[in-house]
C-alpha cells in the first residue's frame, strides 16, 4: 500500500530516509516560487526537488481544501514560511491560497491539450494519478465545451500574469515534456538557477541529482 511505497521511496532516494524542513531562520532573498498552471507537471518536479535536497517543498494551498496530495503524505502543503525553500503556486488560480513573497520563479508549461484532458479527469476523480476510460468530450459535450472555454481563459490569465512576474524577479521556464525526456539536463538547469551557480561540477547537488536519477 501507500506506506510500503513510501518506505521504499525513502530507502532508495534519501540519505538518512528523512525529509527535514528548514530551521525557520529567515531565508529572505532566497525563497523560490514554483509556478505552473494546474496539471502541468507541478508535482512531478516537486518530488525531484524534495528527493534531491531532502527539504519538503511548500504549497500555498490552504488545508481547508482536502487536497489529495495531503492524503498522499506530501507534508509541505499549506506551508509558505521559512521552513520551505521552494513553494508551489498556481497563481493567479488561487483557491483559499496563502500569500508569500519569492525572489526567484521556476515555471513549467505543458501542452495545453494534455493539460485540459488531465484537468478534466482530476476534477471528476479528485486524484493526481488515477486513470479512467471516460471521454468527457463525447459523454457530455456541453459540459466539456464550457470547461474548455473557462480554462482557456484561465490559461490566458496565467500567461498574462507570468509576463508581469518576469518584470519583477528572475524566471526560468521549461516544458514538462522536455523534463520527462531529459531529466538530468533540465534538473541541472533548475539547480544552477536556484543556486545562482554557472557550474555544479563536483558539488553535492551534482551527486544528489545523479543519485536520484
Amino acid at each position: 500500500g501507500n506506506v510500503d511505497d513510501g518506505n521504499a521511496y525513502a530507502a532508495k532516494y534519501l540519505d538518512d530516509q528523512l525529509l527535514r524542513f528548514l530551521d525557520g531562520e529567515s531565508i529572505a532573498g532566497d525563497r523560490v516560487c514554483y509556478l505552473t498552471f494546474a496539471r502541468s507537471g507541478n508535482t512531478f518536479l516537486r518530488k525531484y526537488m524534495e528527493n534531491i535536497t531532502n527539504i519538503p517543498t511548500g504549497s500555498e494551498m490552504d488545508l481547508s481544501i482536502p487536497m489529495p496530495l495531503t492524503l498522499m503524505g506530501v507534508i509541505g502543503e499549506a506551508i509558505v514560511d521559512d521552513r520551505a525553500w521552494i513553494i508551489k503556486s498556481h497563481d493567479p488560480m488561487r483557491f483559499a491560497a496563502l500569500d508569500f513573497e519569492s525572489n526567484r520563479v521556476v515555471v513549467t508549461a505543458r501542452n495545453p491539450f494534455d493539460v485540459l484532458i488531465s484537468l478534466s479527469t482530476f476534477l471528476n476523480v479528485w486524484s493526481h494519478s488515477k486513470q479512467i476510460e471516460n471521454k468527457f468530450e463525447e459523454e457530455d459535450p456541453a459540459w466539456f465545451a464550457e470547461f474548455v472555454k473557462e480554462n482557456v481563459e484561465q490559461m490566458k490569465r496565467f500567461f498574462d500574469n507570468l509576463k508581469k512576474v518576469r518584470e519583477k524577479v528572475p524566471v526560468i521556464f521549461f516544458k514538462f515534456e522536455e523534463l520527462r525526456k531529459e531529466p538530468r539536463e533540465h534538473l541541472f538547469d533548475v539547480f544552477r538557477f536556484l543556486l545562482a551557480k554557472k557550474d555544479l561540477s563536483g558539488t553535492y547537488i551534482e551527486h544528489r541529482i545523479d543519485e536520484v536519477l
Side-chain angles (χ1 to χ4, degrees):
N2 291 339
V3 173
D4 291 338
D5 292 343
N7 290 338
Y9 207 65
K12 180 176 181 180
Y13 291 125
L14 306 181
D15 285 350
D16 58 4
Q17 303 181 27
L18 181 66
L19 284 171
R20 286 191 289 268
F21 287 107
L22 299 178
D23 59 12
E25 292 292 323
S26 175
I27 58 169
D30 290 311
R31 185 172 292 106
V32 177
C33 173
Y34 179 34
L35 179 63
T36 68
F37 192 83
R39 308 307 296 156
S40 294
N42 196 294
T43 304
F44 185 80
L45 181 55
R46 282 182 75 187
K47 293 311 297 182
Y48 270 130
M49 290 171 168
E50 291 187 351
N51 292 335
I52 290 167
T53 65
N54 284 10
I55 303 169
T57 54
S59 170
E60 68 178 5
M61 301 298 292
D62 190 284
L63 292 181
S64 63
I65 299 177
M67 293 300 292
L69 290 175
T70 306
L71 303 177
M72 292 166 56
V74 180
I75 63 176
E77 296 303 281
I79 290 178
V80 298
D81 58 23
D82 287 331
R83 290 172 291 171
W85 176 31
I86 300 165
I87 300 171
K88 159 189 172 177
S89 174
H90 291 319
D91 187 41
M93 295 177 64
R94 310 185 75 220
F95 307 105
L98 304 170
D99 293 330
F100 68 97
E101 298 289 333
S102 63
N103 309 92
R104 294 177 184 273
V105 178
V106 177
V107 180
T108 304
R110 185 183 184 186
N111 183 317
F113 294 102
D114 293 333
V115 169
L116 291 170
I117 295 300
S118 179
L119 184 57
S120 65
T121 299
F122 175 78
L123 292 175
N124 280 277
V125 301
W126 211 242
S127 168
H128 283 75
S129 57
K130 185 176 179 61
Q131 301 295 314
I132 58 177
E133 300 294 329
N134 304 70
K135 295 184 177 181
F136 302 114
E137 67 275 21
E138 297 177 4
E139 297 174 17
D140 194 343
W143 174 86
F144 191 74
E146 185 63 25
F147 164 82
V148 170
K149 178 182 178 181
E150 290 178 0
N151 281 279
V152 168
E153 291 173 354
Q154 292 280 15
M155 288 180 186
K156 182 179 184 303
R157 288 182 61 216
F158 176 84
F159 286 102
D160 285 346
N161 179 65
L162 181 57
K163 293 176 184 177
K164 298 176 183 178
V165 171
R166 292 181 63 188
E167 296 173 356
K168 298 178 181 178
V169 295
V171 175
I172 186 172
F173 181 99
F174 58 95
K175 298 177 183 177
F176 170 65
E177 293 83 359
E178 294 177 351
L179 175 63
R180 294 190 64 185
K181 185 178 179 180
E182 299 287 348
R184 189 178 190 275
E185 174 184 343
H186 290 290
L187 287 171
F188 268 86
D189 286 343
V190 168
F191 278 96
R192 278 193 289 263
F193 174 77
L194 296 181
L195 299 171
K197 300 285 187 181
K198 292 183 178 180
D199 187 7
L200 298 179
S201 300
T203 65
Y204 186 64
I205 285 294
E206 178 186 40
H207 162 74
R208 289 296 297 151
I209 290 173
D210 288 334
E211 191 169 49
V212 165
L213 293 175

